[in-house]
Amino acid sequence: MRILILGGTWFLGKEIVNSARRRGWEVTTFNRGRSGPDAAGVDAVHGDRTDAADLARLAAAGPWDAVVDTSSSELPPHDVLLAARTLAGRVGRWVHISTVSVYAGWPHHPLTETSPLLDCPPDADAEFGYTGVDGSPTKYGFQKAGGERAVSEVLGDRAVFLRPGVILGPGEYVGRLPWWLARAERGGRIIAPSPAERRVQPVDVRDVAVFALDQAAGTGAGAAFNVAHPEGLTFAEFVTACLTVTGGAGRPLWASPEDLARHGVKQWTELPLWRTHAGVWAIDSSRAVAAGLRCRPLGETVADTWAWLQADGRPVEHPRWAEHGIAPEKEDKILACLGGE
């Protein structure tokens, strides 16, 4: 199997490369060479995927049985369209890493793959779309929907779309799980969002990588898959797992959404993974499970991420890291107002 990875040097892309190498596949990566070193044993091609000449040079290195695109998250649809058109004749299947944000109903409503998508042209520029006053829909979601449409129009039934919600695990660059782990290690009373029994559905990066490669090796018609943990875990189980692996002596103080809102706590960022919208963790991944998605217990993801951080794991620097986590002084003020022992 000969495979092309667009990206391939950090988090999901890096894990896909490593997993493909373990399968004995011949791997080509294409990136700018700025986000991390190339993996050993790959044919690394450096270039800018928004540059037609660089893409033409890449195409000359083909053909490949499949491509997995992990690097389009910050690109407008017209750049995705350029890559798809340039490489279409040099690849078999195209596995496109997308997001649940492409759905018009996210995060307000439960989602299946038949849920309506946001409408964005395949040749849209970076200005297309908007973010709603309540944070949904997002301009990012419009852009990603346009990227899917671009790939679909060029590749047809050779295209596979993976729509993850939240991806966690070793190498995470966003900072969601690392913040909770650091907070658990610090100990003391910890603000936690109630209800404690609410389930969340993040998925391990290693499980996404395996599923992406399984789809790359597939022979049937392309499809779209929601990629979320089919079982998940409760927020109480998540916080307990963080406390257990770090050895922290912390104690969660479960605060209601009303209390958190009254103190101006930002959903999704200041308390990572917390969002009150009904559909945010109501993602149906049964189609992906039927197609072979296998998800490890999320307690294992928590433990392995802590082990990676303790082994001096260093994520790629990314501005989103600084967005996550409540400042200690703000948390202390809220804890004082909430009381409790």
Side-chain angles (χ1 to χ4, degrees), residues 30 44 61 65 68 76 87 102 146 166 190 204 225 231 240-241 245 270 289 330:
F30 180 70
D65 299 297
V68 181
L87 299 174
V102 298
V166 171
I190 302 171
D204 192 290
F225 298 97
E231 300 171 2
T240 297
V245 301
E270 285 193 303
V289 171
K330 181 173 181 176

Side-chain angles (χ1 to χ4, degrees), residues 130-146:
Y130 64 92
T131 297
V133 292
D134 69 342
S136 64
T138 62
K139 186 174 181 179
Y140 171 74
F142 280 103
Q143 293 277 309
K144 291 292 282 184

Side-chain angles (χ1 to χ4, degrees), residues 18-298:
N18 291 338
S19 186
R21 292 288 296 154
R22 288 192 292 269
R23 297 183 185 205
W25 293 4
E26 185 179 344
V27 179
T28 301
T29 58
F30 180 70
N31 53 67
R32 293 176 299 175
R34 299 176 184 176
S35 298
D38 297 308
V42 306
D43 180 14
V45 180
H46 290 162
D48 186 338
R49 60 173 293 171
T50 67
D51 185 291
D54 284 356
L55 284 171
R57 179 167 50 84
L58 171 65
W64 300 273
D65 299 297
V67 56
V68 181
D69 185 0
T70 71
S71 69
S72 67
S73 63
E74 306 298 331
L75 294 178
H78 69 71
D79 284 333
V80 178
L81 185 63
L82 174 64
R85 286 174 170 169
T86 305
L87 299 174
R90 306 294 284 168
V91 301
R93 289 168 75 82
W94 186 296
V95 179
H96 191 77
I97 307 301
S98 187
T99 169
V100 294
S101 295
V102 298
Y103 290 110
W106 191 86
H108 298 283
H109 305 291
L111 298 174
T112 72
E113 289 85 356
T114 62
S115 299
L117 303 182
L118 295 169
D119 187 18
C120 178
D123 58 351
D125 63 20
E127 300 307 311
F128 189 91
Y130 64 92
T131 297
V133 292
D134 69 342
S136 64
T138 62
K139 186 174 181 179
Y140 171 74
F142 280 103
Q143 293 277 309
K144 291 292 282 184
E148 281 197 19
R149 189 170 168 187
V151 173
S152 181
E153 289 199 359
V154 176
L155 277 299
D157 64 6
R158 289 188 287 151
V160 179
F161 301 102
L162 304 191
R163 297 170 182 157
V166 171
I167 303 176
L168 302 178
E172 184 197 336
Y173 65 91
V174 175
R176 295 184 176 105
L177 178 50
W179 181 83
W180 277 107
L181 287 165
R183 182 63 191 88
E185 182 188 29
R186 194 167 83 238
R189 291 192 302 161
I190 302 171
I191 292 179
S194 67
E197 64 274 13
R198 187 178 191 190
R199 302 193 76 82
V200 296
Q201 295 178 276
V203 64
D204 192 290
V205 62
R206 296 163 291 185
D207 299 330
V208 181
V210 169
F211 186 62
L213 292 177
D214 289 346
Q215 291 304 308
T219 56
F225 298 97
N226 293 336
V227 184
H229 203 289
E231 300 171 2
L233 78 174
T234 67
F235 227 109
E237 291 169 336
F238 173 73
V239 174
T240 297
C242 291
L243 288 166
T244 299
V245 301
T246 61
R251 292 177 293 109
L253 175 62
W254 295 96
S256 71
E258 294 75 18
D259 282 334
L260 294 173
R262 186 163 50 251
H263 290 283
V265 178
K266 296 177 183 176
Q267 296 188 39
W268 210 235
T269 53
E270 285 193 303
L271 284 182
L273 306 184
W274 170 60
R275 201 165 184 175
T276 58
H277 301 76
V280 67
W281 298 118
I283 303 166
D284 182 359
S285 60
S286 58
R287 178 187 286 184
V289 171
L293 174 67
R294 297 294 178 265
C295 293
R296 70 197 68 207
L298 284 164

